[in-house]
Amino acid sequence: MTEAVEISDAGRAATARAGEWLRVLGQLKAEVGEDAYRNWLRPMHLERINDGHAVIAAPTRFLRDWVITHYLDRLLALWQAENDEMTRVSVIVARPQRYAHVGNSAEPDDDESDPSGPSAAAHGPALEIGDERTQLLALDHRFVFENFVVGKPNELAHAAARRVAEACVSPAHTVPFNPLFLYGGVGLGKTHLMHAVAWHVRKHACDRKVIYLSAEKFMYQFIRALRFKSTMDFKEQFRSVDLLMIDDVQFISGKESTQEEFFHTFNALVDANRQIVISADKSPSDLEGMEERMRSRLGWGLVADLHPTTYELRLGILQSKAEQARVAIPLKVMEFLAHRITSNVRELEGALNRIVAHAQLVGRDITLETAQEVLQDLLRSNERRVTIDEIQRKVAEHFNIRLGEMTSDRRARAVARPRQVAMYLAKQLTTRSLPEIGRKFGGRDHTTVMHAVRKIEELKGTDAALTEDVELLRRMLQR
Ligand code: ADP
Ligand code: MG
């Protein structure tokens, strides 16, 4: 435990210093302009800092001499403004350190508080994100803007992603909103949009450095850096990034030291006016296990959510995918799929692929019947996804009471009975627990829900009208 504390302190200090260097560079860039910056300053790396003496590494002697004669005084002055303990900056010739891979485990560790592990006697960690060019290793070639179908539920996120991509390749290299925060449930296109931004930048301005990585990978690399005491190198990986994209940031909630590091990297890059794009499954304010300052900071730029798909969007996506795959699928079949596979786009794609594969395998045309047969299991699992909100709405509508009565304290039979029906249906049609259901009904106790469920079951044996109501509602909700 002592060991872990010690390392994370060292990590913090290194992080803070690397952050200073990034800020100094950012300011210098503003002074000298984009071109000079790219030619002379961007290739520099922070080698080390000891007792107020910073050592900068230049890749060639020529660059070293140029930086010394043209920028050194200014560098020191800016640095001293950041940190008054700085007394000296020198420039040496050295290639940034490159490490051999250690082992080949690519899985993130699940316990970050244990930085012990394979000994790194001869090698350091493998930092895979330091390439000079865009990081394309993990990018899916299908995830481009051209293949993204835009509809009401995703139009804001799409427009924002495009804006960022275009600004990044514009000569002015502006940063429209920082960060761009994309959020939404699984399979709604967050990763697709982020890859699309990376591809766009890659295509139109290949000198821009783009890093795209999952938050898990970020965490994994950070933990390795801690383990091998090379947080400085870790930080350096991000130094010259123009665009940093971190996917699924909810994975670092609850991981304190990774969050801390992420926060520093984030702030340093924002201060240096680099574009950041983040995705998560929830809005910044709903990210549990995330520090308050981090949550609020994540919401500073533009927050764009991807809503669940609509029927029209699903149909549009199916048509586009069928076209890409060059297979003829009857409109009827596509309409059926768009109606029935409502969970997310990934499942919709999966369904389409299955139908196509089946048709090719048996050498027969695709019909509604074969589609239904091939997708039996998928259809079943999509059937039961009813939300409590939906239930409350439908039940209130059916009994002609206000939606607010679902959560109100009124006990009059005219509102209490429908409320009980809704609780009963919530128990039957969703996987929510009794306490969860209680909370949704104005913070009621789980025993109240249990009582409602029993009451309706009881009445179903005796009250024909109510039984009919319940069955009608159930059918409507399951559609
Ligand atoms: P997320 O990252 O939000 O979980 P993905 O970006 O991985 O979702 O999307 C899941 C799948 O659905 C991908 O294959 C993606 O190409 C596809 N997809 C999602 N939204 C769209 C869309 N609007 N148009 C076309 N394909 C989409
Ligand atoms: Mg994703």
Side-chain angles (χ1 to χ4, degrees), residues 175-277:
V175 173
F177 9 74
N178 223 358
L180 167 59
F181 190 100
L182 300 172
Y183 78 93
V186 285
L188 295 182
K190 301 182 293 293
T191 299
H192 189 137
L193 281 177
M194 291 175 113
H195 285 205
V197 171
W199 283 119
H200 184 90
V201 174
R202 157 84 169 165
K203 187 166 163 203
H204 298 279
C206 55
D207 60 320
R208 300 265 194 269
K209 185 168 169 186
V210 179
I211 290 184
Y212 163 85
L213 78 170
S214 66
E216 258 176 313
K217 195 143 199 189
F218 181 90
M219 185 170 85
Y220 166 66
Q221 294 191 345
F222 173 59
I223 293 161
R224 289 189 71 141
L226 281 183
R227 180 174 295 168
F228 298 113
K229 304 197 196 328
S230 59
T231 44
M232 190 78 103
D233 298 314
F234 175 79
K235 190 76 181 186
E236 273 293 283
Q237 301 301 308
F238 297 98
R239 185 190 66 84
S240 55
V241 167
D242 293 300
L243 171 61
L244 174 67
M245 292 190 279
I246 309 242
D247 207 350
D248 289 320
V249 92
Q250 73 272 8
F251 280 120
I252 60 170
S253 55
K255 318 273 184 193
E256 266 172 44
S257 59
T258 312
Q259 260 183 58
E260 177 85 20
E261 174 59 25
F262 178 63
F263 192 62
H264 283 297
T265 306
F266 183 93
N267 286 336
L269 289 171
V270 170
D271 289 346
N273 207 29
R274 315 293 170 82
Q275 178 71 57
I276 299 178
V277 182

Side-chain angles (χ1 to χ4, degrees), residues 37-52:
Y37 169 76
R38 193 165 331 128
N39 289 337
W40 310 113
L41 297 167
R42 197 158 115 166
M44 303 294 132
H45 288 257
L46 176 60
E47 185 79 12
R48 59 180 176 270
I49 303 182
N50 286 327
D51 298 325

Side-chain angles (χ1 to χ4, degrees), residues 18-71:
E20 280 172 13
W21 161 241
L22 270 177
R23 282 193 292 276
V24 168
L25 262 189
Q27 285 163 18
L28 200 53
K29 177 181 172 185
E31 289 182 14
V32 303
E34 172 69 29
D35 284 346
Y37 169 76
R38 193 165 331 128
N39 289 337
W40 310 113
L41 297 167
R42 197 158 115 166
M44 303 294 132
H45 288 257
L46 176 60
E47 185 79 12
R48 59 180 176 270
I49 303 182
N50 286 327
D51 298 325
H53 175 195
V55 178
I56 306 297
T60 64
R61 202 193 289 198
F62 174 64
L63 274 177
R64 177 198 64 185
D65 295 342
W66 187 276
V67 167
I68 289 176
T69 50
H70 290 81
Y71 302 116

Side-chain angles (χ1 to χ4, degrees), residues 140 142-151 154 158 183-195 212 247-248 279-280 306 309 313 316-318 320-321 324 344-349:
D140 189 314
R142 294 165 309 159
F143 292 0
V144 291
F145 281 123
E146 291 74 19
N147 292 345
F148 193 83
V149 181
V150 185
N154 60 24
H158 171 262
Y183 78 93
V186 285
L188 295 182
K190 301 182 293 293
T191 299
H192 189 137
L193 281 177
M194 291 175 113
H195 285 205
Y212 163 85
D247 207 350
D248 289 320
S279 88
L306 291 119
T309 55
L313 180 59
I317 290 173
L318 284 169
S320 146
K321 304 262 172 201
Q324 275 169 51
N344 67 52
V345 183
R346 195 171 297 143
E347 275 199 8
L348 197 63
E349 271 186 335

